[in-house]
């Protein structure tokens, strides 16, 4: 079983940190889970300079104010340094440090990735879902963060540098270089509270080492030069004609990813949609693997999420809900909820979740007919609600989902007028939210929870008690009912999966064979869920998630003007990040409309790109992704082992409801054709 984060076990032998690694660690801001923001070109130059300086300290090159000479082209074993060394050794003529800063700076993004991978693999950093980073637990609680006298230990880099700046300590050549580079990036004043005396000390320290001085001067000189920066001339964003917006077979079917993929192929990675008669707000659409990569890496600096979610907050009488948070507040909330939404939480309780699922399906008989989506909502809720909030909410799940769907349709998708959220029927359904929240609070007293594993509700109630300003009581109605709402998204995806299974009998039989291997024993073989024994099921699920992602994209507001793929997005623009449009692009998934589970064989691995994003991108991706993946595979195998389903109307094509999230049509019904095995715990 995989873990939620990289294993934080302390490394037995911590390698000496390189200057690029020390610079990256100095920039880490654990409050936000990211790094102090440095203008891209500044950081690129600083990383290039750090790599050159480290190669000099390791006697691979020699540099002074006038030239850089290759001394030894033997690889260092550090991928980022070896990348720089390879480029230097490949050029015959001797150049100066400034030349190599210019040559390496455009490749700095890859060097940063290699550095972060190395810091993660050595146990220094933990990488969290959402592209967040923190010092690993092992490092934080080890003597690496104390002043042990070893100036290569990770945890006290800032303390060590601070002593040189404020306490008059004599710095090592390495520290002089780091101080010079950090000052060049203009981040020292954000890391330390620098007064005039400290500023003078920094300028003095920069002059103490010839290597550091040469590199810092080269970096500074490049910061003033425009030669390698993005051009100031941007393209005009194309506007989609009305006929292209309306007359689309994919739009008629409700398949939004395929719809936006068609527009992307016609108009490029960024285009402007202007709905007629102001039915909906104007929107810029980002679609394709390149924009996916940009969003994943950089959108946190340029876009915010809270604007589109304000209506939902008003509907729940809340403010500052997780989907609407950005920056440090968003990261803080994710850290609080990380354990309850982790895959390991489900792994520990698979037997209990399995028992709840068996109890739910035990009464299903041959010939029974179900509405596909409702059946999947109820099955998912039967598992998730007890797992995450320790209550049975089956009697109210339909009401809670109906209210959330109406709130999303009126306030986020805006496909319905807002007054429809206040009809008598919807108001009655809203009362079910209060009902389930009351159940959760009554079942989560100290006495009731004694000896029980902590769940989602425990974490939220503890946070509210500890910091009622950050998580006020007004937010609990939404926050505590969120696990019940999760049944909507998971159930919708399970509905797509079952429809794909039923309409592909050959794959259905192969999945049933794998299901019988897992459940054909006195006790389920949970250890097989990640093994080759269920390889067909795993690849089948990936293809379902590609073709039918329940969340096709996300809405953001531009808060800082930015240039993406040579198009400038203006401040205040409403942006739809069509992350799953790439699922239907031939350049990412050849013959994308064909259902093909062999895409995910190791030899092809078409999903291993930014073009595959069924759970979202960047800081707001689904934090329960790994839990959901495990629940889906266990649920599909459970159903395949016990039943054979068929469609009530087998000749009817799949119709998709696109709003407020993608789901199979509510009209689709399934029939139990065969009860293969008796459901038993």
């Amino acid at each position: 079983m995989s873990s939620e984060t990289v294993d934080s076990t302390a490394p037995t032998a911590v390698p000496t940190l390189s200057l690029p690694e020390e610079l990256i660690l100095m920039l880490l801001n654990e409050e936000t889970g990211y790094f102090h923001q440095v203008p891209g070109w500044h950081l690129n130059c600083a990383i290039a300079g750090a790599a050159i300086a480290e190669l000099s300290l390791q006697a691979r090159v020699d540099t002074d104010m006038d030239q850089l000479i290759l001394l030894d082209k033997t690889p260092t074993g550090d991928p980022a340094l070896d990348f720089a060394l390879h480029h230097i050794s490949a050029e015959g003529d001797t150049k100066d440090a400034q030349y190599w800063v210019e040559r390496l700076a455009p490749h700095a993004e890859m060097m940063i990735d290699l550095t972060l991978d190395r810091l993660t693999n050595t146990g220094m950093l933990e990488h969290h879902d959402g592209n967040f980073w923190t010092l690993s637990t092992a490092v934080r609680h080890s003597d690496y963060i104390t002043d042990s006298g070893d100036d290569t230990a990770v945890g006290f880099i800032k303390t060590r540098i601070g002593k040189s700046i404020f306490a008059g300590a004599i710095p090592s050549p390495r520290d002089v270089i780091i101080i010079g580079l950090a000052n060049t990036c203009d981040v020292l004043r954000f890391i330390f509270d620098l007064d005039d005396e400290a500023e003078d000390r920094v300028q003095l320290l920069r002059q103490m080492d010839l290597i550091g001085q040469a590199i810092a001067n080269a970096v500074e000189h490049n910061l003033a030069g425009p030669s390698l920066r993005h051009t100031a001339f941007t393209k005009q964003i194309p506007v989609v004609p009305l006929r292209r917006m309306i007359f689309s077979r994919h739009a008629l079917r409700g398949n939004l990813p395929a719809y936006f993929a068609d527009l992307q192929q016609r108009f490029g990675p960024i285009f402007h949609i202007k709905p007629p008669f102001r039915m909906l707000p104007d929107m810029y659409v980002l679609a394709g693997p390149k924009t996916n990569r940009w969003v994943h890496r950089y959108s946190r600096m340029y876009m915010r999420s809270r604007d589109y979610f304000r209506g939902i907050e008003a509907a729940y009488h809340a403010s500052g809900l997780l989907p609407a948070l950005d920056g440090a507040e968003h990261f803080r909330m994710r850290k609080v909820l990380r354990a309850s939404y982790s895959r390991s939480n489900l792994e520990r309780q698979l037997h209990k979740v399995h028992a709840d699922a068996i109890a739910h399906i035990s009464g299903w008989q041959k010939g029974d007919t179900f509405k596909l989506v409702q059946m999947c909502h109820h099955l998912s809720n039967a598992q998730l609600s007890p797992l995450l909030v320790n209550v049975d909410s089956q009697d109210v799940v339909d009401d809670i989902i109906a209210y959330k769907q109406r709130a999303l349709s009126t306030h986020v998708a805006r496909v319905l007028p807002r007054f429809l959220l206040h009809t008598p029927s919807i108001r009655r359904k809203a009362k079910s939210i209060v009902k389930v929240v009351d159940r959760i609070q009554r079942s989560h007293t100290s006495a009731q929870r004694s000896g029980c594993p902590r769940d989602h509700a425990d974490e939220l109630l503890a946070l509210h008690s500890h910091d009622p300003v950050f998580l006020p009581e007004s937010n609990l109605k939404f926050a505590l009912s969120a696990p019940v709402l999760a049944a909507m998204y998971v159930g919708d995806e399970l509905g797509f999966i079952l429809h794909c299974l039923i309409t592909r009998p050959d794959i259905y039989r192969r999945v049933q064979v794998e299901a019988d291997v897992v459940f054909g024993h006195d006790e389920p073989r949970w250890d097989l869920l990640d093994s080759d024994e269920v390889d067909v099921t795993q690849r089948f699920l990936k293809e379902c998630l590609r073709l039918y992602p329940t969340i096709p994209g996300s809405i953001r507001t531009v808060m800082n003007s930015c240039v993406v793929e040579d198009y400038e997005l203006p401040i205040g623009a409403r942006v739809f990040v069509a992350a799953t449009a790439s699922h239907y692009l031939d350049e990412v998934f050849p013959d994308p409309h064909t259902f093909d589970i062999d895409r995910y064989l190791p030899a092809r691995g078409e999903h291993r790109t930014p073009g595959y994003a069924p759970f979202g991108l960047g800081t707001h991706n689904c934090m329960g992704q790994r839990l959901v993946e495990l629940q889906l595979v266990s649920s599909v195998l459970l159903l395949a082992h016990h039943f054979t389903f068929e469609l009530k109307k087998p000749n009817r094509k799949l119709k998709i409801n696109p709003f407020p999230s993608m789901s199979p049509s509510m009209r689709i019904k399934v029939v139990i054709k065969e009860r293969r095995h008796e459901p038993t715990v």
Side-chain angles (χ1 to χ4, degrees):
M1 297 288 184
S2 63
S3 60
E4 186 70 1
T5 59
V6 176
D7 182 12
S8 59
T9 304
T12 55
V14 181
T16 299
L17 291 170
S18 68
L19 285 168
E21 289 171 333
E22 291 207 354
L23 180 60
I24 290 296
L25 289 169
M26 268 197 80
L27 296 177
L28 179 63
N29 181 348
E30 288 206 272
E31 182 181 352
T32 65
Y34 204 58
F35 302 90
H36 289 284
Q37 292 309 302
V38 178
W41 185 244
H42 292 55
L43 181 59
N44 285 9
C45 290
I47 288 293
I52 293 169
E54 182 63 38
L55 290 173
S56 179
L57 292 178
Q58 294 191 26
R60 296 304 197 277
V61 301
D62 187 21
T63 184
D64 55 29
M65 302 297 289
D66 300 315
Q67 61 181 346
L68 184 148
I69 303 170
L70 177 68
L71 301 177
D72 182 0
K73 61 180 181 180
T74 304
T76 66
D78 182 318
L81 296 180
D82 289 340
F83 174 84
L85 184 61
H86 171 75
H87 277 265
I88 293 171
S89 62
E91 187 142 347
D93 297 337
T94 300
K95 308 291 185 181
D96 61 12
Q98 179 180 332
Y99 171 87
W100 282 110
V101 169
E102 291 177 354
R103 285 294 304 274
L104 294 173
H107 305 289
E109 184 175 304
M110 186 184 71
M111 295 170 69
I112 292 170
D113 287 342
L114 292 171
T115 300
L116 288 171
D117 288 343
R118 181 174 162 88
L119 288 169
T120 302
N121 293 334
T122 56
M124 296 293 174
L125 289 181
E126 288 182 15
H127 179 233
H128 307 277
D129 287 337
N131 216 28
F132 295 103
W133 306 83
T134 60
L135 282 178
S136 70
T137 304
V139 168
R140 192 179 295 108
H141 295 291
S142 71
D143 59 2
Y144 300 140
I145 64 171
T146 64
D147 191 354
S148 62
D150 179 0
D151 65 1
T152 64
V154 55
F156 66 94
I157 295 173
K158 294 177 185 178
T159 301
R160 196 183 73 220
I161 297 301
K163 288 182 178 180
S164 298
I165 296 174
F166 298 105
I170 299 176
S172 67
R174 182 178 297 274
D175 290 348
V176 171
I177 297 170
I178 281 290
I179 290 170
L181 291 171
N183 184 68
T184 299
C185 288
D186 196 27
V187 296
L188 279 180
R189 58 196 178 94
F190 297 110
I191 298 172
F192 303 110
D193 185 11
L194 298 178
D195 55 19
D196 290 342
E197 184 178 351
E199 292 274 13
D200 292 340
R201 173 70 173 168
V202 168
Q203 298 306 316
L204 175 64
L205 292 174
R206 292 181 58 199
Q207 309 302 317
M208 292 181 62
D209 181 79
L210 187 60
I211 296 174
Q213 187 177 349
I215 298 299
N217 286 344
V219 171
E220 276 193 342
H221 189 274
N222 274 282
L223 293 182
S227 57
L228 295 178
R229 301 183 189 181
H230 287 295
T231 177
F233 299 99
T234 56
K235 303 175 184 176
Q236 184 174 358
I237 298 176
V239 178
V240 179
L242 181 61
R243 66 181 185 279
R244 287 274 183 175
M245 291 174 51
I246 297 176
F247 300 109
S248 165
R249 60 189 177 94
H250 299 304
L252 294 174
R253 283 191 60 211
N255 191 333
L256 293 182
Y259 170 66
F260 285 118
D262 274 359
L263 293 179
Q264 193 268 3
Q265 290 177 309
R266 173 66 177 81
F267 298 100
I270 299 179
F271 45 89
H272 193 180
I273 289 180
K274 296 182 177 181
F277 313 116
R278 297 190 177 273
M279 297 168 56
L280 294 170
D282 285 9
M283 187 173 293
Y284 296 88
V285 178
L286 275 59
K290 291 183 178 179
T291 57
N292 277 9
R293 180 175 176 80
W294 183 89
V295 168
H296 187 67
R297 294 180 64 94
Y298 304 117
S299 65
R300 74 180 80 208
M301 287 97 77
Y302 300 101
M303 299 180 185
R304 61 175 178 254
S305 62
R306 67 173 182 263
D307 298 46
Y308 88 98
F309 214 75
R310 282 175 178 162
I312 292 293
E313 290 185 324
Y316 283 86
H317 306 288
S319 177
L321 300 176
L322 176 62
L325 295 175
D326 294 292
E329 290 183 329
H330 179 76
F331 181 52
R332 180 185 176 189
M333 184 65 81
R334 287 180 75 107
K335 285 196 296 183
V336 169
L337 301 179
R338 183 175 59 198
S340 60
Y341 275 127
S342 69
R343 177 187 176 107
S344 59
N345 181 39
L346 177 54
E347 288 174 345
R348 287 190 297 268
Q349 302 186 66
L350 269 173
H351 287 287
K352 178 181 181 299
V353 172
H354 174 64
D356 290 333
I358 289 293
H360 182 74
I361 68 174
S362 60
W364 294 3
Q365 301 295 331
K366 179 179 178 179
D368 286 351
T369 300
F370 301 93
K371 290 182 177 179
L372 174 63
V373 173
Q374 187 179 55
M375 180 190 83
C376 293
H377 283 172
H378 287 187
L379 175 59
S380 298
N381 187 62
Q383 300 172 79
L384 286 174
S385 191
L387 171 70
L388 296 176
V389 290
N390 196 42
V391 299
D392 180 4
S393 59
Q394 287 294 82
D395 60 320
V396 295
V397 64
D398 288 336
D399 285 350
I400 292 175
I401 289 175
Y403 183 81
K404 175 66 178 296
Q405 288 177 327
R406 183 62 61 85
L408 288 171
S409 296
T410 55
H411 286 82
V412 176
R414 301 187 188 181
V415 294
L416 294 177
R418 293 192 176 188
F419 77 85
L420 289 179
L421 186 62
H422 306 289
T423 64
S425 173
I426 291 297
R427 286 181 176 178
R428 285 193 297 271
K429 295 182 190 309
K431 293 179 181 178
S432 293
I433 301 173
V434 178
K435 190 181 298 183
V436 77
V437 168
D438 182 60
R439 285 181 198 173
I440 294 170
Q441 291 179 310
R442 284 190 285 108
S443 68
H444 281 74
T445 64
S446 298
Q448 297 274 352
R449 299 296 294 160
S450 178
C452 299
R454 289 181 69 83
D455 63 16
H456 177 83
D458 287 321
E459 302 293 356
L460 287 171
L461 292 171
L463 178 60
H464 167 64
S465 177
H466 174 72
D467 192 347
V469 175
F470 181 66
L471 181 61
E473 188 176 350
S474 59
N475 285 14
L476 290 179
K477 184 168 74 169
F478 179 90
L480 289 175
S481 64
V484 182
L485 296 172
M488 177 180 78
Y489 297 108
V490 178
D492 288 342
E493 190 60 54
L494 185 58
F496 282 125
I497 291 168
L498 284 181
H499 190 278
C500 290
L501 200 62
I502 293 168
T503 54
R504 291 165 179 82
D506 56 330
I507 295 180
Y508 204 159
R509 287 189 291 270
R510 296 171 70 185
V511 170
Q512 285 183 323
V513 169
E514 294 185 345
D516 294 345
V517 172
V518 174
F519 290 104
H521 310 274
D522 293 337
E523 292 287 336
R525 288 288 307 277
W526 302 123
D527 59 306
L528 299 180
L529 295 183
D530 274 338
S531 72
D532 290 340
E533 299 290 339
V534 296
D535 173 63
V536 170
T537 305
Q538 294 281 10
R539 290 188 283 120
F540 166 71
L541 292 181
K542 284 184 173 65
E543 184 70 340
C544 293
L545 286 165
R546 179 184 75 85
L547 287 169
Y548 305 111
T550 58
I551 308 296
S554 56
I555 300 172
R556 299 287 183 266
T557 301
V558 177
M559 61 182 181
N560 292 307
S561 60
C562 50
V563 176
V564 185
E565 291 297 300
D566 295 326
Y567 296 96
E568 184 172 5
L569 297 174
I571 294 174
R574 185 177 170 92
V575 173
F576 183 76
V577 180
T580 58
S582 299
H583 293 189
Y584 284 87
L585 291 178
D586 191 72
E587 64 189 84
V588 184
F589 294 96
D591 196 11
H593 293 277
T594 298
F595 196 98
D596 181 7
I597 68 172
D598 290 345
R599 300 180 188 278
Y600 311 100
L601 290 171
R604 292 173 64 178
E606 295 172 12
H607 62 299
R608 300 187 184 282
T609 73
Y612 186 70
F615 292 97
L617 296 163
T619 58
H620 283 270
N621 74 345
C622 175
M623 66 181 302
Q625 171 180 343
R626 290 178 175 83
L627 182 151
V628 170
E629 289 173 334
L630 180 58
Q631 190 202 358
L632 286 176
V633 70
S634 62
S635 296
V636 169
L637 290 170
L638 177 73
L639 293 175
H641 176 69
H642 290 97
F643 307 102
T644 300
F645 293 93
E646 62 182 4
L647 293 174
K648 180 78 170 178
K649 296 183 178 180
N651 296 324
R652 175 179 288 177
K653 289 187 177 181
L654 174 63
K655 184 72 179 291
I656 300 172
N657 288 331
F659 303 113
S661 56
M662 282 177 49
S663 67
S665 169
M666 293 295 291
R667 295 182 179 181
I668 299 175
K669 294 182 179 180
V670 295
V671 181
I672 297 179
K673 178 181 179 181
E674 176 190 13
R675 182 165 158 139
R676 302 179 67 235
H677 297 94
E678 187 72 21
T680 57
V681 178

